[in-house]
């Protein structure tokens, strides 16, 4: 635990300031808005973006003076090398998150494709009705 604490850095963000992505943040004091949620003391964000290199980089915005502790992705991986069981859990979690994001993305694409298809069928049907009435 002492080793983990030695890798943490502290920073204070002013209201409306946006902390940089690819870090794991833990709120010590203040509030932040992240993915339409209000986060406060003890909440964290950035773990998905930090571990998945091609994940959508979602940022938080400080809503008040925001005191955070953070650790960069390289430091987490460096720490994990010393603890094989932790490294194994991180790899498993990362694979699960990557699969989850992939499935969600594909489902959204399929939903958009279905909407476009329904709309084009509706337009074609309306055009046929218009031609018949003429």
């Amino acid at each position: 635990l002492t080793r983990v604490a030695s890798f943490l850095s502290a920073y204070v963000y002013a209201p409306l300031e946006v902390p940089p992505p690819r870090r794991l943040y833990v709120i010590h004091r203040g509030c932040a808005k992240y993915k339409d949620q209000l986060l406060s003391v003890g909440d964290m964000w950035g773990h998905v973006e930090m571990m998945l290199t091609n994940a959508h980089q979602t940022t938080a915005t400080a809503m008040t003076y925001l005191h955070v502790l953070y650790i960069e992705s390289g430091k987490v991986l460096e720490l994990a090398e010393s603890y094989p069981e932790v490294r194994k859990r991180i790899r498993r979690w990362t694979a699960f998150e990557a699969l989850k994001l992939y499935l969600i993305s594909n489902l959204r694409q399929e939903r958009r494709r279905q909407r476009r298809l329904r709309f084009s069928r509706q337009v074609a049907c309306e055009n046929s009705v218009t031609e018949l009435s003429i």
Side-chain angles (χ1 to χ4, degrees):
L1 197 56
T2 304
R3 187 152 184 237
V4 172
S6 71
F7 281 95
L8 292 173
S9 300
Y11 199 82
V12 178
Y13 294 95
L16 302 180
E17 199 171 352
V18 177
R22 304 226 9 101
R23 294 177 176 170
L24 169 65
Y25 291 94
V26 179
I27 298 176
H28 179 65
R29 190 179 318 155
C31 296
K33 187 174 182 180
Y34 177 73
K35 292 184 178 180
D36 295 326
Q37 293 182 340
L38 195 59
L39 305 179
S40 60
V41 176
D43 290 333
M44 66 178 201
W45 81 91
H47 51 290
V48 173
E49 295 84 356
M50 179 178 70
M51 299 310 293
L52 299 175
T53 55
N54 58 355
H56 176 69
Q57 296 298 312
T58 306
T59 56
T61 303
M63 302 308 289
T64 62
Y65 281 96
L66 182 64
H67 301 247
V68 296
L69 296 173
Y70 70 88
I71 187 168
E72 298 185 20
S73 60
K75 300 289 185 183
V76 170
L77 296 175
E78 184 180 327
L79 276 168
E81 289 302 315
S82 303
Y83 304 96
E85 184 59 35
V86 172
R87 185 180 68 230
K88 189 169 146 183
R89 286 183 181 193
I90 288 173
R91 289 178 62 143
R92 190 178 308 134
W93 178 86
T94 303
F96 176 76
E97 284 297 313
L99 177 62
K100 184 173 82 173
L101 291 174
Y102 172 77
L103 291 173
I104 289 170
S105 174
N106 280 353
L107 287 170
R108 285 181 179 153
Q109 287 176 2
E110 180 62 21
R111 190 180 309 153
R112 283 192 293 270
R113 190 184 72 74
Q114 290 292 332
R115 282 190 202 134
R116 284 193 304 268
L117 185 59
R118 258 185 273 136
F119 179 74
S120 64
R121 285 181 184 162
Q122 182 181 3
V123 169
C125 185
E126 289 172 0
N127 288 341
S128 296
V129 170
T130 303
E131 290 173 5
L132 288 175
S133 63
I134 293 178

